Amino acid sequence: MSGQEPALPRLKKPVVSGEKAQRARRRFIRSVMLLVGVLGTSFLGLLPAFRLHLKRLRPPGALDEADFLASCIKCGQCLQVCPVSAIRLGDIDEGPGIGVPYIAAREQACDFSCDAVQCILACPTGALTYEKPAFFPVREGAGLSRPPTLKARANEPEPAINLKERMGLARLTRPEACLAVQGKGFSGPAREPSFKGRMRYMDVDRWKPVPVNDHPYEREICDLCVTECPVDDAIALEAFTGADGNRRFRPMVREQCVGCGVCEMVCPVGPAAIEIESRVTWADGSI
């Protein structure tokens, strides 16, 4: 006999039935789905924190942001009475802003088609108001020096609306893209064919807003932001001499700007050359 120990018999791998294998796979898939669900829910919980930087443009007459969020009961009454459907409600990823009304001016601006600002009249809590209570002081630079005059009411006995504070402020954020600054005109519909925004035009119907793209323009120098602004003396074109020595024009926003967003909505370049910044106050008399 040799000194080597006899080899141990090779163990056979246990046979797993097809049914057991399927149950194991199902358990594994359920575990993976549960893990994905937990992680997904956790991520959704973080989304509001990621969106806190958003500065939503609130409807006319809104209180300061913290007071507005505390006062608004998310009833949607303002949304229902808006004649151009400019008001939207915050989505689930907006934390305390979920269900709170806001305006996305590029998609649909507030053109004051209702004249009397129906959203303010419809608000049951005073989150939108003509007159702030005394314990809600007007922030410095937020108030308007005089009530804004609507161009649509220029020939009426009371052309002004009772709005004390601006919603935001228009800014020429991309002057290099502005057609007027480039010395160019504009012809045709203001926006892309798929655009659904509406606005009232005095030469079409005093009370019925029509699609913006049903009202084409023909301008030697683009001035849509000026002519379509519903508020008198809120924006104007001012001439200047370009680097090439040619006469150019620049939209200049004035103190009467209420931040309605019409200029941003009708700007024919994309992205818009002029935009509304919400909760911005008037400083130094010009921008």
Side-chain angles (χ1 to χ4, degrees):
M1 292 183 63
S2 63
Q4 294 180 347
E5 295 183 2
L8 296 174
R10 183 176 297 176
L11 296 176
K12 291 184 178 181
K13 190 175 182 179
V15 178
V16 180
S17 68
E19 185 179 348
K20 287 184 178 180
Q22 289 179 2
R23 285 201 299 267
R25 282 195 293 270
R26 285 196 292 266
R27 283 196 298 270
F28 175 75
I29 292 172
R30 282 198 298 268
S31 298
V32 171
M33 292 179 66
L34 180 60
L35 178 61
V36 171
V38 170
L39 293 176
T41 303
S42 300
F43 180 71
L44 285 175
L46 290 175
L47 280 179
F50 296 150
R51 299 290 293 273
L52 284 177
H53 69 283
L54 285 177
K55 286 188 176 182
R56 289 299 197 189
L57 181 64
R58 302 303 182 189
L63 300 175
D64 291 343
E65 187 68 3
D67 299 324
F68 180 71
L69 292 175
S71 302
C72 176
I73 59 173
K74 309 172 185 179
C75 64
Q77 293 296 312
C78 56
L79 180 148
Q80 295 182 42
V81 300
C82 181
V84 292
S85 301
I87 300 175
R88 305 180 176 192
L89 299 181
D91 212 339
I92 191 171
D93 59 352
E94 297 193 28
I98 182 173
V100 178
Y102 72 95
I103 294 173
R106 185 62 173 166
E107 280 69 46
Q108 178 60 65
C110 167
D111 74 337
F112 296 102
S113 286
C114 57
D115 277 16
V117 195
Q118 295 298 319
C119 55
I120 295 179
L121 298 177
C123 181
T125 66
L128 305 177
T129 180
Y130 283 123
E131 293 284 348
K132 276 186 175 182
F135 50 83
F136 285 144
V138 176
R139 288 177 299 132
E140 184 178 356
L144 294 159
S145 61
R146 64 183 188 278
T149 298
L150 293 184
K151 294 177 181 177
R153 295 171 58 171
N155 297 323
E156 296 181 8
E158 296 183 4
I161 55 175
N162 190 21
L163 200 63
K164 301 293 193 301
E165 295 184 41
R166 57 177 52 88
M167 305 155 60
L169 198 61
R171 292 191 186 278
L172 188 63
T173 52
R174 300 177 63 237
E176 72 284 354
C178 177
L179 296 179
V181 171
Q182 297 175 31
K184 296 180 180 179
F186 181 75
S187 178
R191 299 289 301 277
E192 63 279 2
S194 61
F195 182 64
K196 304 298 183 184
R198 296 182 298 150
M199 193 165 66
R200 71 167 167 191
Y201 293 91
M202 295 299 294
D203 56 342
V204 177
D205 192 318
R206 169 71 170 82
W207 295 108
K208 183 180 179 181
V210 300
V212 172
N213 279 352
D214 286 356
H215 194 273
Y217 298 92
E218 191 70 41
R219 303 292 167 83
E220 291 186 9
I221 293 293
C222 184
D223 62 352
L224 272 60
C225 58
V226 175
T227 61
E228 304 314 311
C229 176
V231 178
D232 186 48
D233 198 32
I235 185 171
L237 281 189
E238 293 190 2
F240 71 98
T241 302
D244 56 2
N246 293 325
R247 193 170 188 238
R248 305 292 179 86
F249 296 87
R250 180 186 295 110
M252 296 297 293
V253 179
R254 297 178 174 175
E255 196 274 341
Q256 280 298 101
C257 172
V258 299
C260 66
V262 168
C263 56
E264 180 178 345
M265 181 175 73
V266 300
C267 181
V269 302
I274 191 167
E275 298 176 291
I276 300 299
E277 293 188 8
S278 67
R279 293 177 256 158
V280 173
T281 60
W282 183 262
D284 303 324
S286 66
I287 56 169

